[in-house]
Amino acid sequence: MYYIVETPKTFDQAVKDLAAAVTSHGFGLLHIHDLGATLRGKGIDFAESCQVFEVCNPGQAAQVLAADLLLNMALPCRISVFTEKGTTKIGLIRPGPMLAALSKNSELAQVAQAVEEKTIQMVDAAI
């Protein structure tokens, strides 16, 4: 269900490289949530770094929504750069299995596979 890779890069470099990979693969970068900073800002002791990228390809998102409007709650795609015990990782929930678990619409399989291939390519480009 997950695609997670380790990278020898620093957290900051992996964030920078993922941002470049998102746009070079034809997706838009809608927002980056800095979960670590948000938690620490609320007084929670959170030692790791974690930034969640919201990414979207409008054409593919429109196809998903046309097939099953309820999937608006699963969009946009998210890719995370995070640290875990000193190791920088980049990961995502695979769109194919996720959409299959949320909808039985057979039209979604092809779109989900295309999105999954692109998002994995983004992660691999950033490592």
Side-chain angles (χ1 to χ4, degrees):
M1 188 76 160
Y2 297 97
Y3 182 77
I4 301 170
V5 295
E6 291 185 11
T7 178
K9 295 178 181 178
T10 65
F11 175 80
D12 290 336
Q13 188 64 51
V15 165
K16 180 180 175 185
D17 292 349
L18 180 59
V22 168
T23 57
S24 72
H25 284 84
F27 276 59
L29 179 54
L30 304 177
H31 190 73
I32 301 174
H33 298 278
D34 189 333
L35 292 183
T38 299
L39 291 173
R40 287 186 291 277
K42 301 291 183 184
I44 297 171
D45 183 23
F46 185 76
E48 303 291 355
S49 297
C50 180
Q51 292 193 11
V52 180
F53 286 56
E54 289 188 346
V55 303
C56 183
N57 177 290
Q60 290 170 323
Q63 288 178 320
V64 169
L65 295 174
D68 188 339
L69 187 57
L70 292 178
L71 292 176
N72 71 78
M73 293 174 265
L75 299 177
C77 294
R78 290 166 179 82
I79 305 173
S80 296
V81 179
F82 60 100
T83 59
E84 189 172 42
K85 299 178 183 173
T87 302
T88 302
K89 299 180 179 184
I90 307 171
L92 58 97
I93 296 175
R94 292 176 178 266
M98 181 180 67
L99 292 182
L102 296 172
S103 177
K104 300 304 176 201
N105 188 319
S106 61
E107 296 173 29
L108 292 172
Q110 194 171 11
V111 177
Q113 183 61 35
V115 171
E116 185 169 314
E117 288 172 9
K118 283 290 187 182
T119 53
I120 287 173
Q121 288 172 9
M122 292 174 213
V123 170
D124 290 347
I127 59 172

